[in-house]
Amino acid sequence: MYRVTVQILPKEGVFDPQGQTVKGALEKLGFEGVESVRMGKLIELVLDVKGEQEAKVRAISMCEKLLANPVVESYKILNVEEIS
Amino acid sequence: MRAAVIVFPGSNCDRDTYHVLKNVFGVDCHYVFHEERFAPTDFDLIVIPGGFSFGDYLRPGAIARFSPVMWSVQEASRIGKLVMGICNGFQILTEAGLLSGSLLRNINLKFVCREVHVKVVNNRTPFTCLFEEGEVIRMPIAHGEGRYFPSPSGLKPDQIVLQYCDEDGKTIDSTNPNGSYMNIAGIINEDGNVFGLMPHPERCCEDVLGNTDGKRFFESILTYVSRRRVYATS
């Protein structure tokens, strides 16, 4: 079994009001130097597959088909970890 | 005319749409459940109603687009049948690739539920043929994710059908309730038979509701379908 962590973020150039709002809040709290904040989703998948490569390929396929909207979102496989 | 109203788990404007088609316009109207299939020639009009299909989880419309019924909707649209997606229906149509672009969280992050002014910028569609070009109407909106964002391939000018505006028809930022690109409230596909809009025409078709500006969308469809029948038989 493999645990795959997938990150989905709004693409560059897509205005992200959630990220903007959080950025504003951080600045109001006195945190300096916050250049940008972007907010997306983190999806954790547990896959019953044979190897790390297969886990990765399956996760990419899931992102392409359902998990990310290619018009406005980009995705990244952050981590693939074997679990018992 | 035969019409279908698709019902997903979470659709909540399906009954309103059915009621308007059947009781206000006397259309032969049928509910079709999301797990059903139908033949491309079964219906002249397919409406994907508003609501929160599959709880809007992941993204509005992302899961609904894989329902079996959507294969039938695709097939019907391919042979030129009319497909109209209202609010969540619009989101489903973009996720399904039947309309280009995407609908994102409203720019102010608020759910907006109120009446707005909308301008009919293209009246050469089966859905708007009884409006004047540039006509300003009032319609209710109710959505949290209605900010239209175009796909990289963009839209042809004729594909923009409705724009948010002020009562004089000016499309300025202050009249844009969700931050949509170019104040877009409704678009059509390149073939002109698939229409998606965020405002709710089914909620403004009866005097008792205090607004009947939505009637002409349905009257346009009825007129278009009956004319097409005449052309087809003559």
Side-chain angles (χ1 to χ4, degrees):
Chain A
M1 300 265 252
Y2 288 82
R3 181 185 287 126
V4 183
T5 312
V6 179
Q7 166 194 284
I8 318 264
L9 277 179
K11 276 186 180 170
E12 295 286 344
V14 174
F15 183 68
D16 169 21
Q18 291 185 92
Q20 281 292 111
T21 306
V22 173
K23 180 174 182 280
L26 287 170
E27 285 163 354
K28 270 188 198 151
L29 287 169
F31 290 102
E32 288 171 7
V34 181
E35 280 297 309
S36 87
V37 177
R38 286 197 301 146
M39 279 182 65
K41 300 181 188 92
L42 189 112
I43 301 175
E44 201 176 84
L45 306 158
V46 174
L47 306 178
D48 185 5
V49 290
K50 290 199 181 70
E52 195 176 319
Q53 192 55 25
E54 193 186 339
K56 200 169 177 180
V57 168
R58 288 272 296 277
I60 288 172
S61 167
M62 290 173 192
C63 288
E64 298 274 341
K65 192 166 184 189
L66 174 71
L67 300 180
N69 179 342
V71 178
V72 285
E73 292 173 329
S74 59
Y75 67 86
K76 197 173 182 180
I77 310 297
L78 288 186
N79 191 34
V80 183
E81 167 196 13
E82 188 170 10
I83 51 171
S84 55
Chain B
M1 186 176 99
R2 268 171 70 87
V5 175
I6 311 294
V7 182
F8 292 96
S11 295
N12 66 4
C13 304
D14 46 347
R15 289 192 190 187
D16 302 23
T17 311
Y18 180 92
H19 159 74
V20 165
L21 283 164
K22 190 175 178 105
N23 301 323
V24 178
F25 297 102
V27 170
D28 179 17
C29 192
H30 303 263
Y31 288 119
V32 179
F33 196 50
H34 71 111
E35 288 178 326
E36 293 179 79
R37 301 279 293 255
F38 57 84
T41 50
D42 280 354
F43 302 104
D44 304 293
L45 168 71
I46 298 143
V47 183
I48 307 184
F52 299 87
S53 57
F54 295 89
D56 269 2
Y57 292 129
L58 192 62
R59 298 181 305 278
I63 297 173
R65 69 155 287 206
F66 291 106
S67 289
V69 76
M70 289 306 291
W71 292 102
S72 302
V73 175
Q74 294 260 13
E75 283 172 8
S77 75
R78 239 175 260 138
I79 64 161
K81 297 292 183 176
L82 303 185
V83 179
M84 176 160 74
I86 303 165
C87 199
N88 189 234
F90 185 9
Q91 295 161 338
I92 294 170
L93 290 174
T94 58
E95 284 285 339
L98 281 163
L99 288 171
S100 73
S102 182
L103 291 143
L104 300 175
R105 189 75 83 88
N106 294 348
I107 203 151
N108 58 9
L109 299 175
K110 286 180 184 161
F111 187 96
V112 278
C113 182
R114 60 183 164 93
E115 226 170 46
V116 293
H117 287 96
V118 174
K119 182 159 74 167
V120 181
V121 287
N122 182 355
N123 68 345
R124 300 170 307 283
T125 83
F127 307 90
T128 54
C129 57
L130 296 185
F131 289 98
E132 300 289 327
E133 191 172 332
E135 188 176 343
V136 177
I137 57 173
R138 279 188 311 131
M139 289 178 86
I141 54 169
H143 59 248
E145 309 202 25
R147 174 166 52 111
Y148 183 77
F149 188 88
S151 61
S153 56
L155 283 175
K156 291 185 175 155
D158 273 359
Q159 285 183 259
I160 302 171
V161 178
L162 301 174
Q163 284 177 307
Y164 302 109
C165 62
D166 67 7
E167 46 193 317
D168 300 320
K170 279 194 209 112
T171 51
I172 45 177
D173 282 352
S174 60
T175 63
N176 192 339
N178 51 33
S180 273
Y181 170 74
M182 285 182 74
N183 284 43
I184 284 174
I187 61 163
I188 200 157
N189 66 339
E190 285 194 42
D191 291 338
N193 66 316
V194 180
F195 176 47
L197 72 169
M198 288 314 294
H200 286 269
E202 81 283 12
R203 292 188 190 172
C204 50
C205 282
E206 291 168 279
D207 288 323
V208 69
L209 298 174
N211 181 355
T212 56
D213 283 1
K215 274 178 98 166
R216 267 182 293 161
F217 288 95
F218 298 102
E219 286 165 352
S220 293
I221 294 165
L222 283 162
T223 304
Y224 176 85
V225 170
S226 63
R227 276 187 199 155
R228 194 161 63 167
R229 283 248 166 79
V230 171
Y231 295 141
T233 53
S234 61

